[in-house]
Amino acid sequence: EQAHHSSELQNQSQQISNETLMLSGATSSQFSELFGLLDSHAGIAVSPDSSKRSAAVYACIRLIAGAVSLLPLPVYERTEKGREKTDHEFWWLLNEQPFPTLTSAAFWDWIISNILLRGDGLAQIKRHPATGKITGFLPLPRECVVIERRGDQLIYLVNDGTRKYGLAQDDVLHFPGFGFNGICGESVIAHAARHAIGTGLAADQFSGSFFARGATPSVVIQYPQGVSPKE
């Protein structure tokens, strides 16, 4: 039964992948980020990547993601006695090594940072091709994924720079952040903090260029009548 379910998921993902090659494209927000169109009041383009140049933003993300990534994730099951902790096989994937090249701390650090910066944390559920058994969770860069609704299901169109493919809803772990509308969460950087971060980046840029000139003002003040010696 599990193998049959895996085969159905593979067929569904393959169909989505074929559609992806013809239909997928970047969203308006992705184009804006790519070409630096998300200007702030200070005139500095602010994106999730450029915002990390702000010391305050970087420190907040590092502290929040670092703290959450170290929390344990116990697995529970419903029994006749209520909810009880169990030694499920997914415990290892969630708490030790979700992917061969990732520790759980690195995985959750990535997921939380994507939620904070871009509104969603995404990971592909990897399955054994023959049995359909879940073998790992592969993080997906949020900026490389377009999420669309098809009927009552979500599909994930991935373009990682080397290939385009589609994933069915059952093949993705989706952790939305604040403002989830049933498709995706909202980026705090784009909606709430863009202008404040832009002002901070502009101040850093001005102070850096000022000290690069030897802390010398680039203006000259001249008194119209000249300066006479004090009598």
Side-chain angles (χ1 to χ4, degrees), residues 162-179:
T162 58
R163 65 191 183 103
K164 296 180 180 180
Y165 59 97
L167 295 172
Q169 179 174 286
D170 292 342
D171 283 327
V172 176
L173 289 177
H174 186 172
F175 304 95
F178 174 78

Side-chain angles (χ1 to χ4, degrees), residues 7-217:
S7 177
E8 289 182 349
L9 289 176
Q10 289 177 0
N11 293 335
Q12 187 177 5
S13 293
Q14 183 61 45
Q15 181 180 358
I16 295 174
S17 295
N18 294 336
E19 295 177 2
T20 300
L21 296 176
M22 298 182 293
L23 301 177
S24 68
T27 62
S28 58
S29 61
Q30 289 173 319
F31 273 120
S32 298
E33 181 180 333
L34 177 64
F35 293 105
L37 301 178
L38 295 176
D39 283 341
S40 62
H41 291 326
I44 300 294
V46 177
S47 68
D49 286 330
S50 67
S51 66
K52 289 189 289 185
R53 296 203 301 266
S54 169
V57 173
Y58 192 90
C60 289
I61 294 172
R62 182 179 62 84
L63 288 173
I64 296 173
V68 174
S69 66
L70 297 178
L71 295 175
L73 270 175
V75 180
Y76 294 87
E77 67 176 346
R78 294 187 180 91
T79 65
E80 296 179 353
K81 300 179 181 179
R83 191 180 68 170
E84 294 184 354
K85 188 181 296 186
T86 179
D87 295 328
H88 196 276
E89 57 182 339
F90 289 167
W91 184 93
W92 178 265
L93 296 177
L94 295 172
N95 292 274
E96 294 292 341
Q97 193 172 33
F99 198 71
T101 58
L102 289 173
T103 63
S104 62
F107 173 82
W108 290 113
D109 188 82
W110 167 272
I111 292 294
I112 298 301
S113 63
N114 270 255
I115 294 175
L116 296 174
L117 287 170
R118 302 179 182 277
D120 301 278
L122 303 173
Q124 179 182 355
I125 301 175
K126 305 294 288 186
R127 304 176 188 272
H128 190 280
T131 63
K133 181 180 179 181
I134 295 177
T135 58
F137 307 128
L138 173 65
L140 296 173
R142 179 62 183 91
E143 65 273 19
C144 296
V145 182
V146 175
I147 306 174
E148 296 182 359
R149 186 193 301 277
R150 300 282 178 86
D152 59 352
Q153 295 286 317
L154 295 180
I155 64 169
Y156 300 81
L157 310 176
V158 185
N159 183 355
D160 60 7
T162 58
R163 65 191 183 103
K164 296 180 180 180
Y165 59 97
L167 295 172
Q169 179 174 286
D170 292 342
D171 283 327
V172 176
L173 289 177
H174 186 172
F175 304 95
F178 174 78
F180 181 62
N181 60 2
I183 299 178
C184 60
E186 293 181 349
S187 168
V188 177
I189 301 300
H191 289 80
R194 175 157 51 99
H195 299 301
I197 294 171
T199 301
L201 293 177
D204 286 343
Q205 181 176 322
F206 175 81
S207 61
S209 62
F210 177 73
F211 285 107
R213 296 192 302 267
T216 303

